[in-house]
């Protein structure tokens, strides 16, 4: 039998070789498939869970803010509603119509042009509406005064100014109502204001009267009052708003390294063997706008990380002893033990001893080489953060669109990390956790956020926000020789709810 | 009889029945390959397990362009080669022990021209191949069964061509010794 017969024996012997595996193997596979199925479900569940929490948080926050601020501010809309209600009243309508007709007749005598007449007509109509509202309001006040006196009611009410900073209470302790009708905030007018109140009352007004300039108290059936800005009154010179944004987005993550010491080999290797990933982000933010300027804060859930494809060489020295012929003496190298590389636990060197051998053995003319094996570690690293941004921005409005640009910082808190990365010495793969790596628990980021929103209803807008984010602090503590920072750019989309 | 196409589409959807059918259909042939590449049946089971997990998880990547069995077979072989790397340390001592026998075998050249008139059972062939050092077994499998050239083997295992040739030769020597011993035992029994 020569050596090549072996090939034929095996080829023929295994030609139709099949053997059913043990029955237990399917059960093992079945269990593994179940485990995989569960593992695949988890990220979906996490997405749903996180989205749910963010959504519930946004709703709760919106409701709290809405109701806590609702009573604090002027409700301009309600005044408009009064006007509309007044004009819907047939009696009032009739009065308006009659008055307008009389005025028009007078105007027609002057012989002005038709356009001027139309403008004048509109202006006058508005004026008459205000008069009607005024009368209607005074009627209500009189009726309520009568009612209160009759029932001996001691009414306390709170009226609030337009902005939060100037919101101070007015307390009226009698059963009479006051009409705030001051022209300015100087002391004399303030004095006049109190003096001109329609009935004896004591009013404590700690806020600048300008803030309630030309405002009126509106009475409702429950004896609660609100300050109202009447139609035609002097408008506030500043536009302020408060909004809640709820957005979800995706971003591309980039990783940058810097070697503090001589670890360039490590950083170069990681640069070459790690690739970018896309990660989701969830954001809930509160935006206060004062004219064109805005301040934004909130809470974000962001992920960073990378895909790794490390290939770690394992050098296995062939342990086969060999024969060597030197000066016609055959030496045999015999393995007597093993020696572990102190710098790399994966490498074992054979310890061989040379022994002269008088033999007629065939001499192997080639020496067996080092067997190099490569272990592949494919993995996806992930670092999850809760982040609190603080941004200042500038925005402009155009019709229903709003364009904005904000910049600032965000504070991050590491909540979870998973995966494996190459150790700084390139010798092993270590778990990506605080137990094995000196991960920084916090981070500081620079943020640049653009945005465009489209207002599709009175309170709701669709928003789209491209952004750039860069970590200013390293992922690792200062003791670690590698400085690693992530940067990301992406886009968020969602809705904006205008609280006020 | 359920066709491969139906089984594949079922597996892509994660249907456990389809996965079981696929396993029942292909596991005997694949297990045989695993046995050839492993040192024992326990290791073969591990390789087969990993193979089918890879098959199930990557089923969507199969493009129906070639033989499905061929695709699984490639996965088996790659899994077996990866498995070999994982268990390298265990093979260390085994290599040495077997090499000592090689020297003895070289002295027994009297069997060179013996005619083999006894057929070997599957178990005998399997046992002989299991006794090979891991590296020899791998090269022997790739060369004899998968019909790889030495150049291809050297690229796949990242060894030199001469190492591949050397290991194939040594594998054949060891197998020959094993089988001759079996023959002698059988002849004596007769």
């Amino acid at each position: 039998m020569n050596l090549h017969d072996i090939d034929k024996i095996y080829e023929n012997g295994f030609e139709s070789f099949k053997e059913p595996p043990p029955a237990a193997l399917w059960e093992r596979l079945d269990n593994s498939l179940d485990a995989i199925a569960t593992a695949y479900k988890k990220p979906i569940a996490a997405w749903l869970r996180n989205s749910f929490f963010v959504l519930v948080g946004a709703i709760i926050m919106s409701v709290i803010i809405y109701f806590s601020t609702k009573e604090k501010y002027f409700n301009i809309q309600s005044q408009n509603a009064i006007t509309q209600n007044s004009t819907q009243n047939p009696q009032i309508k009739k009065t308006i119509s009659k008055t307008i007709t009389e005025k028009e007749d007078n105007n027609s005598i002057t012989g002005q042009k038709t356009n001027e007449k139309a403008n004048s007509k509109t202006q006058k109509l508005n004026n008459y509406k205000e008069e009607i509202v005024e009368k209607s309001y005074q009627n209500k006040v009189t009726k309520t005064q009568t009612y209160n006196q009759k029932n001996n009611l001691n009414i306390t009410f709170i009226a609030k100014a337009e902005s939060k900073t100037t919101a101070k209470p007015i307390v009226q302790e009698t059963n009479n109502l006051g009409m705030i009708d001051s022209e300015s905030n100087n002391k004399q007018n303030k004095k006049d204001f109190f003096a001109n109140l329609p009935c004896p009352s004591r009013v404590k007004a700690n806020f600048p009267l300008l803030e309630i300039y030309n405002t009126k108290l509106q009475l409702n059936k429950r004896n609660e009052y609100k300050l109202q800005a009447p139609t035609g009154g002097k408008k506030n010179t500043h536009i302020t708003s408060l909004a809640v944004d709820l957005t979800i987005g995706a971003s591309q993550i980039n990783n940058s390294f810097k070697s503090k010491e001589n670890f360039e080999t490590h950083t170069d290797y990681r640069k070459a063997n790690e690739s970018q990933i896309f990660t989701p982000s969830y954001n809930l933010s509160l935006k206060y706008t004062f004219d064109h300027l805005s301040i934004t804060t909130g809470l974000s859930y962001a992920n960073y990380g990378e895909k790794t494809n490390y290939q770690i060489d394992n050098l296995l020295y062939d342990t086969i002893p060999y024969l060597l012929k030197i000066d016609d003496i055959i030496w045999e190298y015999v393995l007597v033990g093993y020696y572990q590389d102190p710098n790399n636990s994966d490498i074992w060197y054979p310890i061989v001893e040379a022994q002269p051998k008088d033999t007629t053995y065939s001499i192997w003319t080639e020496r067996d080489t080092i067997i190099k094996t490569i272990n592949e570690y494919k993995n996806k690293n992930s670092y999850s953060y809760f982040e609190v941004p603080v941004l200042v921005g500038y925005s402009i409005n155009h019709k229903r669109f709003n364009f904005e640009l904000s910049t600032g910082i965000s504070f991050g808190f590491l909540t979870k990390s998973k995966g494996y990365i190459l150790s700084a010495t390139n010798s092993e793969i270590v778990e990506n956790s605080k137990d094995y790596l000196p991960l920084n628990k916090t981070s500081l980021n620079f943020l640049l956020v653009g945005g465009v929103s489209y207002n599709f209803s009175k309170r709701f807008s669709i928003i789209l926000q491209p952004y750039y984010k860069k970590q200013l602090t390293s992922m690792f503590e200062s003791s670690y020789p590698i400085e690693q920072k992530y940067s990301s750019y992406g886009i968020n989309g969602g809705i904006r709810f205008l609280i006020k | 009889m359920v066709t491969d196409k139906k089984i594949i589409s079922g597996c892509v959807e994660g249907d456990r029945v389809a996965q079981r059918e696929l396993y029942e259909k292909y596991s005997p042939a694949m297990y045989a390959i695993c046995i050839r590449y492993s040192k024992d049946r326990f290791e073969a089971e591990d390789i087969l397990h990993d193979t089918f997990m890879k098959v199930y998880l990557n089923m969507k990547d199969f493009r129906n362009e070639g033989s499905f069995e061929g695709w699984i077979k490639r996965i088996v072989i790659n899994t077996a080669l990866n498995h070999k790397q994982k268990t390298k340390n265990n093979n260390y001592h085994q290599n040495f022990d077997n090499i000592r026998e090689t020297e003895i075998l070289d002295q027994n050249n009297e069997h060179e021209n013996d005619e083999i008139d006894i057929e070997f059972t599957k178990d005998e062939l399997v046992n002989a191949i299991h006794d090979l050092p891991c590296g020899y077994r791998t090269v022997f499998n790739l060369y004899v069964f998968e019909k790889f050239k030495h150049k291809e083997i050297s690229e796949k295992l990242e060894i030199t061509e001469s190492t591949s040739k050397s290991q194939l030769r040594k594998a054949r020597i060891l197998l020959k010794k094993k089988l001759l011993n079996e023959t002698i035992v059988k002849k004596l029994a007769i």
Side-chain angles (χ1 to χ4, degrees):
Chain A
M1 180 166 63
N2 64 43
L3 286 180
H4 290 284
D5 291 335
I6 300 294
D7 294 5
K8 285 176 191 169
I9 290 167
Y10 269 91
E11 274 182 86
N12 296 334
F14 279 87
E15 197 172 12
S16 56
F17 177 43
K18 287 183 180 177
E19 184 175 319
L25 190 59
W26 168 251
E27 288 172 21
R28 199 175 139 196
L29 261 173
D30 201 26
N31 291 335
S32 300
L33 287 168
D34 284 341
I36 293 282
T38 311
Y40 270 75
K41 278 177 189 170
K42 273 182 182 173
I44 298 166
W47 268 75
L48 286 172
R49 191 174 60 244
N50 293 339
S51 302
F52 175 76
F53 286 141
V54 169
L55 193 63
V56 168
I59 291 168
I60 291 170
M61 200 168 165
S62 303
V63 169
I64 291 169
I65 293 170
Y66 179 72
F67 283 106
S68 64
T69 55
K70 188 179 176 184
E71 298 300 323
K72 288 183 180 176
Y73 303 101
F74 289 99
N75 187 348
I76 293 168
Q77 295 300 326
S78 61
Q79 178 59 37
N80 294 335
I82 291 171
T83 310
Q84 285 168 10
N85 290 336
S86 303
T87 52
Q88 282 163 8
N89 185 317
Q91 186 68 35
I92 295 170
K93 270 186 176 177
K94 198 176 170 183
T95 313
I96 291 173
S97 178
K98 190 181 172 185
T99 316
I100 290 171
T101 310
E102 285 170 2
K103 297 284 180 185
E104 277 179 347
D105 289 343
N106 292 334
N107 286 338
S108 63
I109 297 166
T110 60
Q112 289 177 346
K113 289 180 181 178
T114 314
N115 286 343
E116 288 172 354
K117 280 181 184 176
N119 290 337
S120 172
K121 188 178 172 181
T122 308
Q123 182 59 42
K124 282 167 188 168
L125 178 61
N126 288 335
N127 291 339
Y128 299 145
K129 278 181 184 175
E130 286 175 24
E131 285 178 21
I132 298 300
V133 170
E134 183 74 25
K135 283 175 185 172
S136 169
Y137 171 73
Q138 285 176 359
N139 286 337
K140 280 186 181 179
V141 170
T142 310
K143 273 174 78 176
T144 308
Q145 280 178 321
T146 311
Y147 176 82
N148 289 341
Q149 283 170 355
K150 190 177 174 184
N151 294 285
N152 197 25
L153 292 175
N154 187 18
I155 298 163
T156 300
F157 66 89
I158 297 173
K160 292 172 182 176
E162 180 148 5
S163 71
K164 197 174 178 180
T165 52
T166 58
K168 299 285 170 68
I170 301 171
V171 180
Q172 183 171 354
E173 294 176 343
T174 69
N175 56 352
N176 298 303
L177 295 172
M179 183 189 295
I180 303 166
D181 199 15
S182 174
E183 286 293 327
S184 70
N185 63 342
N186 64 45
K187 284 183 180 177
Q188 184 56 44
N189 284 331
K190 189 177 174 182
K191 195 176 173 183
D192 294 343
F193 163 67
F194 292 115
N196 291 331
L197 285 173
C199 49
S201 61
R202 286 189 294 127
V203 176
K204 187 180 179 184
N206 290 328
F207 52 92
L209 290 176
L210 183 63
E211 296 294 334
I212 55 163
Y213 161 73
N214 209 16
T215 58
K216 295 179 176 69
L217 298 173
Q218 185 201 355
L219 178 68
N220 65 20
K221 289 178 181 176
R222 290 179 298 164
N223 291 332
E224 291 171 353
Y225 307 88
K226 290 177 185 174
L227 283 172
Q228 301 294 336
T231 308
K234 193 174 177 181
K235 289 181 182 175
N236 243 7
T237 51
H238 299 294
I239 300 167
T240 60
S241 69
L242 189 68
V244 170
D245 293 352
L246 178 63
T247 57
I248 295 174
S251 56
Q252 181 168 329
I253 310 295
N254 300 311
N255 204 350
S256 64
F257 303 98
K258 192 177 169 188
S259 172
K260 288 182 186 171
E261 298 161 22
N262 296 322
F263 285 86
E264 285 81 7
T265 314
H266 171 81
T267 53
D268 291 346
Y269 183 86
R270 286 193 63 189
K271 278 176 196 169
N273 293 281
E274 293 181 357
S275 54
Q276 298 167 338
I277 58 167
F278 284 91
T279 61
S281 65
Y282 311 91
N283 312 283
L284 175 68
S285 56
L286 192 64
K287 186 186 187 78
Y288 177 74
T289 306
F290 182 79
D291 290 342
H292 292 293
L293 297 175
S294 64
I295 298 172
T296 307
T297 186
L299 191 65
S300 300
Y301 184 72
N303 281 292
Y304 303 94
E306 62 275 318
K307 268 187 184 172
T308 63
N309 186 8
Y310 303 135
Q311 295 187 334
I312 308 296
D313 293 351
N314 283 309
L315 300 178
L316 179 65
Y317 287 77
D318 199 332
T319 61
I320 301 167
Y322 59 97
L323 303 174
L324 185 68
K325 188 176 183 182
I326 303 172
D327 297 334
D328 293 330
I329 300 172
I330 304 295
W331 294 79
E332 182 188 26
Y333 283 82
V334 180
L335 180 75
V336 293
Y338 298 97
Y339 168 70
Q340 190 177 19
D341 189 328
N343 297 320
N344 190 338
S345 60
D346 286 334
I347 300 178
W348 289 79
Y349 298 98
I351 302 169
V352 292
E353 256 180 27
Q355 296 171 356
K357 201 169 182 72
D358 181 14
T359 175
T360 55
Y361 292 176
S362 60
I363 299 169
W364 300 343
T365 54
E366 57 188 308
R367 179 178 176 175
D368 288 314
T369 54
I370 295 165
I371 297 174
K372 180 181 160 189
T373 60
I374 297 175
N375 285 350
E376 276 197 354
Y377 296 92
K378 287 186 179 177
N379 164 54
K380 187 177 173 183
N381 290 330
S382 162
Y383 306 89
S384 303
Y385 283 86
F386 272 116
E387 292 177 345
V388 179
V390 180
L391 304 171
V392 290
Y394 186 83
S395 63
I396 51 171
N397 293 313
H398 178 68
K399 295 181 180 175
R400 283 175 169 249
F401 287 95
N402 174 271
F403 303 92
E404 58 197 24
L405 186 67
S406 306
T407 185
I409 53 170
S410 71
F411 303 94
F413 304 94
L414 182 65
T415 56
K416 194 170 66 178
S417 64
K418 62 179 182 181
Y420 297 88
I421 67 164
L422 191 65
S423 68
T425 55
N426 287 2
S427 60
E428 57 182 341
I429 304 296
V430 292
E431 196 179 319
N432 210 349
S433 72
K434 289 171 192 168
D435 297 335
Y436 299 95
L437 284 169
L439 291 173
N440 250 336
K441 291 174 187 173
T442 57
S443 73
L444 185 65
N445 310 298
F446 164 75
L447 265 171
L448 183 64
V449 184
V452 58
S453 64
Y454 177 76
N455 190 3
F456 64 87
S457 79
K458 194 186 290 180
R459 289 196 178 274
F460 286 96
S461 309
I462 301 171
I463 53 173
L464 215 53
Q465 295 175 322
Y467 68 91
Y468 172 76
K469 185 162 53 175
K470 182 165 178 59
Q471 284 187 329
L472 300 173
T473 51
S474 174
M475 290 286 300
F476 301 112
E477 289 174 2
S478 54
S479 58
Y480 199 66
I482 310 298
E483 194 177 280
Q484 180 179 331
K485 292 175 183 174
Y486 286 106
S487 63
S488 63
Y489 54 89
I491 191 158
N492 290 327
I495 56 165
R496 169 170 293 166
F497 175 68
L498 189 67
I499 297 168
K500 90 168 185 73
Chain B
M1 184 76 179
V2 185
T3 62
D4 274 359
K5 207 172 179 180
K6 281 187 180 175
I7 294 176
I8 291 166
S9 62
C11 288
V12 169
E13 290 165 10
D15 177 13
R16 195 59 58 85
V17 177
Q19 288 170 337
R20 180 70 191 255
E21 280 176 5
L22 181 88
Y23 176 80
E24 297 290 351
K25 187 171 181 180
Y26 290 106
S27 63
M30 299 308 142
Y31 187 50
I33 298 173
C34 295
I35 288 170
R36 282 200 275 110
Y37 277 91
S38 53
K39 68 176 187 295
D40 53 36
R41 279 179 163 76
F42 296 114
E43 192 185 22
E45 285 175 30
D46 287 345
I47 295 170
L48 189 67
H49 172 271
D50 292 353
T51 299
F52 271 92
M53 288 305 294
K54 284 181 187 172
V55 167
Y56 293 142
L57 294 175
N58 297 290
M59 190 71 85
K60 59 182 182 303
D61 297 333
F62 178 67
R63 297 177 184 174
N64 281 311
E65 287 171 357
S67 151
F68 182 61
E69 188 171 356
W71 183 68
I72 301 183
K73 195 177 165 186
R74 279 201 301 279
I75 295 177
V76 174
I77 293 165
N78 286 330
T79 308
L81 295 181
N82 288 336
H83 207 266
K84 167 186 161 287
Q85 291 172 2
K86 287 181 193 170
T87 55
K88 61 185 184 302
N89 287 335
N90 295 336
N91 299 328
Y92 225 86
H93 299 279
Q94 193 185 359
N95 282 350
F96 179 68
D97 293 343
N98 283 299
I99 293 310
R100 305 298 294 175
E101 294 176 37
T102 315
E103 294 167 15
I104 298 164
L105 183 70
D106 274 357
Q107 289 180 303
N108 297 328
N109 289 334
E110 64 269 22
H111 297 296
E112 186 67 34
N113 298 315
D114 282 2
E115 289 294 322
I116 303 296
D117 55 358
I118 293 177
E119 286 197 356
F120 298 101
T121 65
K122 289 279 188 310
D123 279 347
E124 287 164 351
L125 293 174
V126 166
N127 288 340
I129 210 166
H130 279 175
D131 285 344
L132 285 177
C134 182
Y136 296 0
R137 187 169 57 238
T138 306
V139 172
F140 183 77
N141 268 304
L142 292 173
Y143 187 86
V144 174
F145 295 104
E146 272 58 74
K147 307 295 179 194
F148 278 42
K149 306 289 180 202
H150 282 297
K151 191 173 183 227
E152 293 169 318
I153 294 171
S154 67
E155 284 168 1
K156 203 162 187 65
L157 300 181
E158 297 199 2
I159 56 176
T160 60
E161 270 189 71
S162 59
T163 302
S164 173
K165 286 176 188 171
S166 162
Q167 296 206 338
L168 177 65
R169 179 175 168 274
K170 291 167 192 170
R172 284 170 176 158
I173 291 169
L174 284 172
L175 287 171
K176 183 181 164 187
K177 175 191 171 289
K178 279 274 177 191
L179 295 177
L180 283 174
N181 284 346
E182 292 292 342
T183 310
I184 292 163
V185 171
K186 281 185 180 180
K187 278 182 178 173
L188 288 173
I190 292 165

